[in-house]
Amino acid sequence: MRKTSLLLSTALIPLLIASNCLAQNIRTITIQADKMQAKIQPTMYGVFFEDINQGADGGVYAELVKNRSFEFKMPLMGWKEVKQNNARGSILVLNRGAANADNPRYIHVTSVSAQGYGLGNEGFHGMGIKKDEQYNFSVLAKLPAKTAEMGLQVELLSAKGEVIGSATVALSSTQWKKYTASFTANQTDARASFRVMMKGSGSVDLDMVSLFPQHTWKQRPGGLRADLVQLLADMKPGFLRFPGGCIVEGRELDTRYQWKGTIGDVANRRMIVNRWNTEFAHRPSPDYYQTFGLGFMEYFQLAEDIGAEPLPIINCGMACQFNTCELVPLDQLGPYVQDALDLIEFANGSITTKWGKKRAELGHSAPFNMKMMGVGNEQWGSQYIDRYKVFEKAIHAKYPQIKLVASVGPNPDGEIFDYLNPTLRSLKANILDEHYYRAPGWFLQNAKRYDHYDRNGPKIFAGEYAAQSVGIASPDNKNNWNCALSEAAFMTGLERNADMVYMASYAPLFAHAEGWQWTPDLIWFDNLRSYGTPNYYVQKLFSLNKGTEVVPLLLNNEALTGQDGCYGTACIDENTKELIIKFVNTTGESQDVNFSISTASHLATGASVTTLANSDTSAVNSFDHPATIAPVQNRATLDGDNLKISFKPRSLSVIRIPF
Ligand code: AHR
């Protein structure tokens, strides 16, 4: 028996030692690399985006000013009056009502003093500012009368109150006009703030007071935080589901997500309260609103940027059934259905159509080639079926090629699921969206969940899942290794059933360390930093190694679905010509395996082995230790068609063997 030989330096030492100590009870796992079992969809692993946990405003949407248009319920929330050296003045909140229904409020600032009066903004738990980076200020302003003197002095302040960047703006117009100014910060500070000071005595009307970093994702003005988008791009996700989640539904119909209000000039995107603002009494977020600066055009653009298929979810005439359960009467669903049809035209229509033209005017004349859409989020009951039918009929009458995602409710079993699952199957739904927020043990036990699903029925979208270390949405949940490892074990079952499981996404995606409502979450960030959790690295490893066809991986002629705590799957990547093995060892012991590979091709002698491992199941990543659990690369050597390897305790390993 030839021992596994490993080629890399220090990182491989633990694996090498383990390999030299292969136990007597080495088990042989056969891989039939020449037997294609199922095609893996390019969409297999994707991301679920929702504006929860400050995911959009105060998160990936890089605007630094909170309540920039004074539309929060308390119009000056996030703002405070600034009076230096006893300067005097006043701030009035005006409401122009129907004259500007989407952005009714603005402020009228009067400075009695020639200088020293103004207002400051606290940002989202402060503002994350980086030394030597450029910041771009903009404001809508209107002078009541021509004056040669009026201007603004805009200043970034460190947490200690020092001015760390500033610019001046001369005001000139008695009509609403956009003014801009840029400056460079001379310090890094995670808790900076910003103030707008009056220059000269007199009055001015102000609205849309905004400050963005110049450096955003792809340097887009008014764009997205580059570090956070990069973490998504690094996963090479197959799809981007947006805009959520419960946020699609709203607590009540009035606060449902309406995509048409989220495109075009940001000053005209009607802001609403974020439904997570008041959802959890233990995590109140009174200042959580949706500016829709990250709106549907930006979502489609983001999907395109990161190579993901766009998957919008639309409201189906139902508010959140955990909250108000408001329903639109069936005979009044017309506008809701029209929104769905118009969305397809917006995404895919030629520029001669009304909504395709709109897309082109917004800078994207090429269609986004959207192929699927969700009807409702976590809905249930016959009310949902009634409404789903109306949407399905109308959408497929006009766009038969669009695959519709239907909800089977918030749970993977139970009364709601047991009603919706067969009902939607009988209606020949295209794709069923299953959600599982469950204990880690559930994930281990459900690695076989799809083995016996009807192969001729709807495809499965594992649309939201995350192992909950304590309980569903408990504030004590942790993104620990135990949870991530159990998700990895479960995901081998998703992949083995790729003939039917077409998509999967962890949820929620983002959380601000100070602004979260729901945990666990895939990626945590603060105003300057971000890190991937162990769960993130599990998702990333699966996504980057998804392959194109599943092939059988068998222990004693059975799939490896938890025997002795081990889980595995294998696939071929026809593009790179590699065999990919994923192996999950959930036990506290090393597991010694001989992979015996049958293949018509000639296997290379060298394999790459990427491992996520930690013997401590409570281990987590953090801002200070972002790579406690992160992929480690090694190499292994085959002996002909055999690969002997010792898997570390509590590990996920991905092996790639060229052929
Ligand atoms: O992911 C958080 C929430 O969980 C989603 O908004 C909802 O769909 C589910 O209940």
Side-chain angles (χ1 to χ4, degrees):
M1 176 172 81
R2 195 169 126 189
K3 285 200 174 65
T4 305
S5 88
L6 304 155
L7 306 175
L8 280 184
S9 55
T10 48
L12 58 80
I13 289 170
L15 190 59
L16 183 60
I17 292 166
S19 136
N20 281 332
C21 304
L22 287 180
Q24 296 303 316
N25 59 346
I26 184 166
R27 60 172 69 79
T28 292
I29 291 179
T30 57
I31 296 180
Q32 298 170 343
D34 45 3
K35 193 167 165 188
M36 304 305 159
Q37 209 171 24
K39 187 171 156 40
I40 299 172
Q41 298 300 311
T43 50
M44 183 73 194
Y45 303 110
V47 290
F48 162 98
F49 186 92
E50 176 163 23
D51 189 4
I52 183 173
N53 302 319
Q54 228 175 277
D57 288 291
V60 73
Y61 182 53
E63 172 66 87
L64 293 164
V65 175
K66 181 164 77 182
N67 192 13
R68 65 186 174 190
S69 62
F70 311 101
E71 303 299 336
F72 283 20
K73 189 162 185 208
M74 296 304 294
L76 291 178
M77 196 176 215
W79 294 94
K80 67 171 191 226
E81 191 181 34
V82 179
K83 293 176 181 174
Q84 294 169 328
N85 304 321
N86 299 320
R88 288 188 302 123
S90 64
I91 300 169
L92 304 178
V93 177
L94 287 103
N95 190 325
R96 56 206 140 176
N100 191 339
D102 293 327
N103 180 11
R105 291 203 192 121
Y106 61 95
I107 56 170
H108 181 78
V109 187
T110 301
S111 178
V112 175
S113 312
Q115 57 186 13
Y117 188 78
L119 70 166
N121 189 274
E122 66 191 23
F124 301 87
H125 312 283
M127 295 176 180
I129 299 298
K130 291 185 184 159
K131 185 172 189 286
D132 296 334
E133 289 210 359
Q134 183 182 315
Y135 291 87
N136 299 329
F137 166 75
S138 67
V139 67
L140 296 177
K142 179 161 80 80
L143 293 169
K146 262 279 185 255
T147 151
E149 306 267 316
M150 285 299 292
L152 302 173
Q153 169 87 9
V154 294
E155 295 175 336
L156 258 183
L157 303 176
S158 71
K160 288 189 199 145
E162 307 138 307
V163 176
I164 57 172
S166 66
T168 54
V169 178
L171 302 173
S172 55
S173 177
T174 54
Q175 304 299 316
W176 282 110
K177 181 179 166 187
K178 183 171 180 176
Y179 298 87
T180 60
S182 297
F183 53 87
T184 300
N186 60 26
Q187 264 183 49
T188 293
D189 201 314
R191 288 195 180 275
S193 63
F194 182 64
R195 68 188 178 200
V196 180
M197 305 300 292
M198 304 285 281
K199 278 184 69 144
S201 57
S203 298
V204 62
D205 294 338
L206 299 177
D207 199 0
M208 293 298 291
V209 185
S210 171
L211 186 69
F212 270 90
Q214 164 74 18
H215 174 52
T216 55
W217 170 252
K218 291 194 180 282
Q219 311 300 335
R220 293 208 176 93
L224 305 181
R225 229 177 99 167
D227 61 327
L228 297 181
V229 178
Q230 191 60 54
L231 281 163
L232 304 186
D234 290 347
M235 294 170 78
K236 296 199 191 317
F239 66 89
L240 173 69
R241 169 179 164 166
F242 57 89
C246 293
I247 211 153
V248 172
E249 304 161 68
R251 288 175 70 84
E252 55 286 301
L253 284 165
D254 265 0
T255 53
R256 73 189 187 278
Y257 200 99
Q258 299 188 62
W259 74 269
K260 286 175 182 164
T262 74
I263 59 172
D265 185 350
V266 288
N268 299 328
R269 300 185 192 182
R270 187 186 297 207
M271 208 202 63
I272 59 170
V273 71
N274 186 303
R275 57 144 305 125
W276 299 104
N277 177 311
T278 51
E279 186 74 22
F280 296 122
H282 57 269
R283 294 288 303 174
S285 311
D287 55 352
Y288 200 0
Y289 285 74
Q290 298 179 85
T291 61
F292 299 114
L294 169 54
F296 258 43
M297 189 65 192
E298 289 80 18
Y299 280 123
F300 277 112
Q301 185 61 65
L302 174 61
E304 184 175 273
D305 287 350
I306 61 178
E309 294 287 346
L311 170 52
I313 311 289
I314 42 146
N315 185 291
C316 63
M318 302 176 79
C320 184
Q321 289 167 279
F322 288 113
N323 302 137
T324 63
C325 305
E326 271 190 305
L327 293 173
V328 178
L330 285 173
D331 61 359
Q332 291 172 35
L333 275 177
Y336 289 73
V337 173
Q338 195 57 49
D339 276 355
L341 295 171
D342 291 343
L343 180 60
I344 300 171
E345 187 174 290
F346 177 72
N348 295 349
S350 94
I351 58 172
T352 57
T353 62
K354 176 179 169 191
W355 289 101
K357 180 163 177 269
K358 187 83 184 160
R359 183 193 67 240
E361 286 165 3
L362 296 176
H364 203 285
S365 41
F368 284 112
N369 195 19
M370 174 180 117
K371 302 184 184 79
M372 50 196 173
M373 174 189 260
V375 178
N377 175 43
E378 281 179 344
Q379 319 300 164
W380 61 80
S382 57
Q383 315 87 292
Y384 175 56
I385 296 296
D386 292 344
R387 283 158 186 78
Y388 168 80
K389 282 182 187 165
V390 174
F391 277 79
E392 192 278 330
K393 190 169 172 205
I395 294 170
H396 279 158
K398 194 162 180 193
Y399 301 106
Q401 74 283 11
I402 294 286
K403 300 289 181 220
L404 292 180
V405 174
S407 164
V408 286
N411 304 313
D413 46 34
E415 204 178 321
I416 292 173
F417 182 86
D418 290 345
Y419 165 68
L420 289 177
N421 187 39
T423 308
L424 286 162
R425 284 171 184 275
S426 71
L427 293 171
K428 302 206 177 319
N430 302 134
I431 303 171
L432 300 183
D433 178 11
E434 297 191 356
H435 293 182
Y436 0 87
Y437 294 100
R438 287 287 184 264
W442 183 95
F443 286 86
L444 299 180
Q445 285 148 20
N446 277 270
K448 285 194 262 194
R449 178 178 176 89
Y450 297 109
D451 291 1
H452 306 294
Y453 263 49
D454 177 6
R455 308 332 270 188
N456 300 312
K459 307 305 177 198
I460 297 298
F461 172 26
E464 295 182 31
Y465 61 90
Q468 314 282 300
S469 62
V470 177
I472 297 184
S474 162
D476 299 322
N477 282 334
K478 297 279 178 279
N479 280 100
N480 64 31
W481 182 224
N482 188 39
C483 290
L485 198 58
S486 70
E487 290 152 9
F490 178 72
M491 289 169 79
T492 62
L494 300 180
E495 191 163 292
R496 194 176 49 258
N497 288 282
D499 58 320
M500 202 187 50
V501 181
Y502 272 27
M503 294 183 290
S505 45
Y506 184 99
L509 180 62
F510 284 129
H512 189 294
E514 292 170 72
W516 60 274
Q517 297 81 41
W518 178 299
T519 183
D521 304 288
L522 201 63
I523 293 167
W524 287 80
F525 62 91
D526 62 16
N527 286 348
L528 289 174
R529 301 169 297 172
S530 48
Y531 69 88
T533 58
N535 318 69
Y536 170 83
Y537 287 112
V538 165
Q539 293 294 319
K540 186 173 166 183
L541 274 191
F542 272 78
S543 184
L544 297 186
N545 296 287
K546 67 176 171 287
T548 52
E549 271 109 19
V550 182
V551 296
L553 178 148
L554 304 169
L555 174 69
N556 302 327
N557 281 322
E558 286 182 2
L560 189 63
T561 56
Q563 297 92 316
D564 297 329
C566 295
Y567 301 77
T569 183
C571 58
I572 295 294
D573 188 331
E574 277 300 347
N575 301 320
T576 61
K577 302 287 178 207
E578 284 168 294
L579 168 67
I580 305 171
I581 304 168
K582 300 186 185 78
F583 191 92
V584 181
N585 174 12
T586 64
T587 73
E589 314 295 325
S590 296
Q591 298 290 338
D592 303 333
V593 173
N594 174 31
F595 290 108
S596 168
I597 304 162
S598 59
T599 170
S601 312
H602 180 72
L603 292 172
T605 50
S608 71
V609 184
T610 309
T611 304
L612 282 177
N614 201 301
S615 52
D616 177 4
T617 52
S618 66
V620 295
N621 289 344
S622 64
F623 288 112
D624 292 334
H625 302 283
T628 298
I629 297 175
V632 173
Q633 293 275 350
N634 284 291
R635 295 207 49 91
T637 302
L638 282 86
D639 180 5
D641 293 339
N642 286 280
L643 172 64
K644 291 191 177 62
I645 197 154
S646 181
F647 291 106
K648 295 177 104 177
R650 313 225 196 269
S651 61
L652 160 64
S653 302
V654 177
I655 303 166
R656 294 187 78 114
I657 308 170
F659 60 83

